[in-house]
Amino acid sequence: MRGLLALCRAIDSINAQIGKAIAFLIFAAVVVSSANATVRYIFDTSSNAWLELQWYLFSAVFLVGSGYTLLNNEHVRIDIVAGRLSHRTRAWIDIIGGLLFLLPMTLVIAWFSWPFFAKSVAGCSLMGTHISDLLSWAMPPQSGNDCEISSDAGGLIRWPAKLLIPIGFLLLMLQGISEILKRVAFLTGAGPDPLVKEGEHHGEHAAD
Amino acid sequence: MTSFIIENIAPLMFAALVILLLFGYPVAFALAANGLFWGVLAIKFGLLGPELLQALPQRVFGIMRNDTLLAVPFFTFMGLILERSGMAEDLLDTIGQMFGRLRGGLAYAVVFVGALLAATTGVVAASVISMGLISLPIMLRYGYDRRTAAGVIAASGTLAQIIPPSLVLIVMADQLGRSVGDMYQGAFIPGIGLALLYAVYIVLVTIIKPNWAPALPPEAITIREADGRAGYTSLLAIVLAATAGGVYLSLFYLHWIWACALVGFVAYLVAIANKLLKLGLLSRLAERVIIVMMPPLALIFLVLGTIFLGIATPTEGGAMGASGALLLAFANRRLNWSLFRQAMDTTAKLSCFVLFILIGSTVFSLVFRGVNGDLWVEHLLTSLPGGQLGFLIVVNLMTFVLAFFLDYFELAFIVLPLLAPVAEKLGVDLIWFGVMLGVNIQTSFMHPPFGFALFYLRSVAPNAPYTDRISGKRLEPVTTGQIYWGSIPFVLIQLIMVTIVIAFPRLVLVSLDTGPKVDPNKIKIEAPLDQGGGEQPFIPQIK
C-alpha cells in the first residue's frame, strides 16, 4: 500500500504542476482574442492563424487541465442523494465509478485518439526531423506524406491540437487511478478521508 | 431478454443515465461511460457499426474547434476579476444612497445593481455575495422584513443568468445551433422585464406592508449637499440632458449604441471636471452616481455594444470584457498576482468541467441518436395534446421540476438537445424557446432548498445574534427558513415571466427584427391566420 500511496502523490503532484501552469494559457487566449478583434476593426485585416490559436490555447487548458480538475474534485456531481450518504459509501461509489466509468472511458478515447493524431502528423517535421520517424515505435506506418494543415487559408498545422486529446485523457486516467487508490486507502484505514480537505479535522459524520 | 433490450434500448439507456447520475459520480464521466456502455452493446447486437468508437476523437476535436464555447472561459475570467475589482461595492453604496430616501429604496438599489452586475459579470455567486455582504446588513439595521430582504438579494443575483452576457445563454445557443448574438438580443427584453417585475413587487410590498421596507432615516444619508438637500435636481437635469442628446444623436447621426456611449462619456467628463475643479455644477449625489456608473456602463459597451454592433463576435466580446475588467481592477489598485493567478486557476477548472460535461453528453447523444433515441423522445413529446402550446407547457413544467435537481449546465447539455429537434419540428422559434427555458432555468438558483443563490446568501448572512456596528442595537440572525420563504415570491415572478414569454413571443423576437445585420427586405412576416390554432406559429419568421 505504501508504494501505491507514493504513486498517488507522484500523480497528484504531476497534475497539480501541469494544471497550475496550463491555466496561464487562459490569459494568453484573452490577449490573443482581444487583439484579434481590435486589429480587425482598426486595420481591417485578420488572419486565420490567430483565430485558430485561440482555440488551440483553450483546448490545451481544458484537456490538459482535466486531471487537475479531478484532483480538486471540481468535476460537477449531482449530490442530491450522495450528499446524504456516509463518507465510506461515497468512497465506494467513487471507486466503482472510477473502475467502471472513468478508466474505461479515458482508455477508449485515448486509444482511438492516437491513430487520429498519428494520421495528422504523418509527413510533418519538427526541426528537420520527421515526427512520425521519431514515433515510429508507437504508431503504424502512415501512408500519406502530407502534413495536415487547417483547411482555412493561412491556418495552423493540426497535429499539436490533435495531440492534446491523448495527452489530456491520459492525464485524466492517471488522476482517476490516483483517486481510486486514495479511496481504497481511506477504506482500509491507510489514508485520510479524501472528502475532508487538508487542514480540517472533522472526522467522519454519519450524514454530512 | 436480448430482444427486449434491442427494442427498448433508448428508454433503457435514458433510465440508466438517471440512476447513474443520482449516485453522485461526476456527471461528465457518468454520461460518457453510460454512452459507451450502451454503444458497445448496440454494436454487439448489430444496431450500430464499429466505426462508432473511431468517431469519438473526431467528436472531441469538434468540441475543441467550437468558437462559441471559447466565450465560456472569457466571461468567467472577466467575472472573477470584476468580483474583486471593487465595482460592486462602489455601486451598492452609491445607488443605495440614491434610492435611500424612498420607501423600499435599498431594495430598488439591490435590483438595479443586480441588473447592472448581471450585464457585466454574469456570475451569480459574485452578485449575491457582494449584495449579501453590503446591502443586507444595512437593510437589517433599518428594519427591513428579513424574508423580503433575503428574497430580493437572492433573486437580483440570479439576474446574471438571464441578462446577457450570461454563460447559460452561450451554452444554449451552442446546443440550439443559433448564434450567441441573437440569443443575447432575444434575452435582453425579458431580462430587463424581470428586473422591472422585481421592482413592481417591491412597490406592492411598500404599499401593502410599508414597515417591511422602510426608507433610510436622514442620518443614514451621507451623500448630500452642504445645506442638507438631496441633490436630485441636478441628477435629474443631467440625466435628461444626456437622454435628449442621445436621442438627438441617434436619430440623425449615429447608431444608438454609439450615441449612448458618446453621451455617457461626456457626462463622465463633466462629473470628473466638476470633482477636480470644484465647479459646483452638479450636486455631490449626481457626481458620485455618474462616476460609479461609468465602469459598468463602459464594460457593457465593450462587451454587448461591440457584439450588437457587429464589431466583435461574442467570443471576442468576452475577451474584450476580460481585458477591460483587468484594466479596471488595475486602475482601482485591486489587481495583484495572487488574484490574477487564482482567477485563471478557477477559470481553468470551471471551463474544464463544463467542456467535459459537453464531451460526455456528446458521447451519450452520439449513441442515443444512433439507436433512434431522438425518435423515441420526439414520439413521446409530439403525441402530447395541444400541439405547440401543449408542448411548451409540458416542457416548461418539466424543466421547472428538473431544475430542483439539476443545475443549468446539466439541463442545457442533457435535456436541451433532446427537446430542440422536437421544438423545431413543431415550428417553435429556437431563440424564443431558448430564452423561455433560460428564464425557467434561472429559477433553479432560487428553488428552496437547493438553489445556489440561497446557499451563497446563507454563507454571508448573519447566522447568530450580533450587535450592529452603527446603531448599537442587538439584531437577530437571518434564519435559513426566512431565506427560503423570501425566495418564493420571486420564484412565482419567474413563472409569470415564463408565461409572458410564451404568450408574447415578440418580446424575444422584436430585437432580432431590428438588428443591424438583417436586411428589412428579407424579413417576411407570416400573418397570423388563426391566433387560436395550435400548430401555426404566429411569430414573424426571418428568412
Side-chain angles (χ1 to χ4, degrees), chain B residues 263-283:
Chain B
V263 168
F265 187 63
V266 170
Y268 183 65
L269 289 183
V270 170
I272 291 286
N274 191 60
K275 182 178 180 181
L276 295 180
L277 307 174
K278 303 205 166 39
L279 296 176
L281 284 172
L282 296 169
S283 65

Side-chain angles (χ1 to χ4, degrees), chain A residues 34 40 58 68 76-77 80 116, chain B residues 24 27 58 311 316 323 345:
Chain A
S34 325
R40 198 180 54 229
F58 178 52
Y68 177 61
V76 68
R77 302 159 181 265
I80 209 157
F116 183 65
Chain B
V27 173
Q58 190 64 52
I311 296 173
E316 289 164 344
S323 307
D345 204 67

Side-chain angles (χ1 to χ4, degrees), chain B residues 229-468:
Chain B
R229 281 181 302 127
Y232 285 134
T233 330
S234 84
L235 180 61
L236 192 68
I238 191 160
V239 168
L240 284 179
T243 314
V247 169
Y248 178 74
L249 285 175
S250 63
L251 281 180
F252 298 110
Y253 298 105
L254 295 169
H255 189 279
W256 65 271
I257 295 176
W258 282 116
C260 290
L262 188 68
V263 168
F265 187 63
V266 170
Y268 183 65
L269 289 183
V270 170
I272 291 286
N274 191 60
K275 182 178 180 181
L276 295 180
L277 307 174
K278 303 205 166 39
L279 296 176
L281 284 172
L282 296 169
S283 65
R284 281 190 58 215
L285 180 72
E287 181 190 299
R288 279 290 298 159
V289 168
I290 293 169
I291 290 175
V292 298
M293 292 276 289
M294 194 58 199
L297 291 181
L299 279 172
I300 292 171
F301 172 73
L302 203 57
V303 179
L304 295 181
T306 53
I307 296 173
F308 290 169
L309 285 170
I311 296 173
T313 64
T315 303
E316 289 164 344
M320 304 280 273
S323 307
L326 282 172
L327 288 178
L328 177 66
F330 181 74
N332 286 356
R333 308 218 174 112
R334 299 289 184 102
L335 190 65
N336 56 41
W337 183 243
S338 94
L339 165 63
F340 183 59
R341 272 199 53 173
Q342 219 177 30
M344 283 187 298
D345 204 67
T346 312
T347 307
K349 286 185 286 196
L350 181 128
S351 346
C352 181
F353 94 62
V354 172
L355 270 291
F356 264 79
I357 297 183
L358 182 58
I359 292 178
S361 85
T362 307
V363 175
F364 177 82
S365 64
L366 183 66
V367 176
F368 194 66
R369 268 161 224 259
V371 299
N372 292 331
D374 47 343
L375 296 181
W376 171 63
V377 174
E378 194 182 305
H379 178 73
L380 224 55
L381 290 173
T382 45
S383 56
L384 293 169
Q388 197 192 51
L389 188 63
F391 167 76
L392 291 179
I393 291 174
V394 169
V395 163
N396 275 293
L397 285 176
M398 195 178 83
T399 310
F400 183 75
V401 173
L402 281 176
F404 278 94
F405 310 102
L406 300 179
D407 78 16
Y408 61 104
F409 283 126
E410 291 146 12
L411 283 167
F413 285 135
I414 305 173
V415 181
L416 199 57
L418 298 177
L419 299 178
V422 188
E424 196 157 33
K425 190 156 275 184
L426 287 171
V428 177
D429 182 284
L430 287 187
I431 299 280
W432 177 41
F433 187 60
V435 171
M436 179 193 310
L437 288 186
V439 177
N440 196 331
I441 292 175
Q442 186 198 343
T443 57
S444 71
F445 277 82
M446 348 173 190
H447 280 320
F450 299 111
F452 276 104
L454 309 180
F455 283 143
Y456 299 139
L457 184 59
R458 176 69 281 171
S459 70
V460 293
N463 52 10
Y466 67 106
T467 308
D468 182 57

Side-chain angles (χ1 to χ4, degrees), chain A residues 24 27 33-34 40 54-55 58-59 62 66 68-69 74 76-78 80-81 93 97-98 101-102 105 112 116 161, chain B residues 20 22-27 29 33 57-58 64 70 73 311 316 319 323 344-345 351-353 356-357 405-406:
Chain A
F24 279 88
F27 179 64
S33 186
S34 325
R40 198 180 54 229
Q54 296 176 38
W55 64 257
F58 178 52
S59 302
F62 81 80
S66 61
Y68 177 61
T69 308
E74 298 241 358
V76 68
R77 302 159 181 265
I78 295 177
I80 209 157
V81 176
I93 289 175
F101 301 163
L102 181 59
M105 185 272 282
F112 283 102
F116 183 65
Chain B
L20 288 181
L22 283 178
F23 275 108
Y25 198 66
V27 173
F29 311 142
Q58 190 64 52
M64 293 164 65
L70 199 53
I311 296 173
E316 289 164 344
S323 307
M344 283 187 298
D345 204 67
S351 346
C352 181
F353 94 62
F356 264 79
I357 297 183
F405 310 102
L406 300 179

Side-chain angles (χ1 to χ4, degrees), chain A residues 29-162:
Chain A
V30 167
V31 172
V32 169
S33 186
S34 325
N36 259 339
T38 316
V39 166
R40 198 180 54 229
Y41 185 64
I42 298 177
F43 302 106
D44 203 18
T45 159
S46 75
S47 119
N48 283 320
W50 288 99
L51 286 174
E52 290 186 5
L53 184 59
Q54 296 176 38
W55 64 257
Y56 274 43
L57 291 168
F58 178 52
S59 302
V61 172
F62 81 80
L63 284 170
V64 178
S66 61
Y68 177 61
T69 308
L70 182 62
L71 168 66
N72 286 284
N73 195 12
E74 298 241 358
H75 279 289
V76 68
R77 302 159 181 265
I78 295 177
D79 48 10
I80 209 157
V81 176
R84 290 151 198 265
L85 303 174
S86 73
H87 286 198
R88 295 188 71 85
T89 317
R90 285 160 78 179
W92 272 110
I93 289 175
D94 280 354
I95 293 171
I96 296 170
L99 289 172
L100 291 185
F101 301 163
L102 181 59
L103 295 188
M105 185 272 282
T106 47
L107 188 67
V108 167
I109 296 184
W111 181 264
F112 283 102
S113 64
W114 186 251
F116 183 65
F117 157 71
K119 212 169 148 202
S120 76
V121 83
C124 301
S125 42
L126 191 67
M127 291 183 288
T129 325
H130 274 283
I131 297 170
S132 34
D133 292 347
L134 289 176
L135 293 172
S136 57
W137 50 273
M139 52 176 67
Q142 300 296 324
S143 51
N145 275 325
D146 293 330
C147 187
E148 192 192 349
I149 299 178
S150 158
S151 56
D152 295 318
L156 301 173
I157 40 169
R158 277 288 183 251
W159 67 263
K162 292 190 171 176

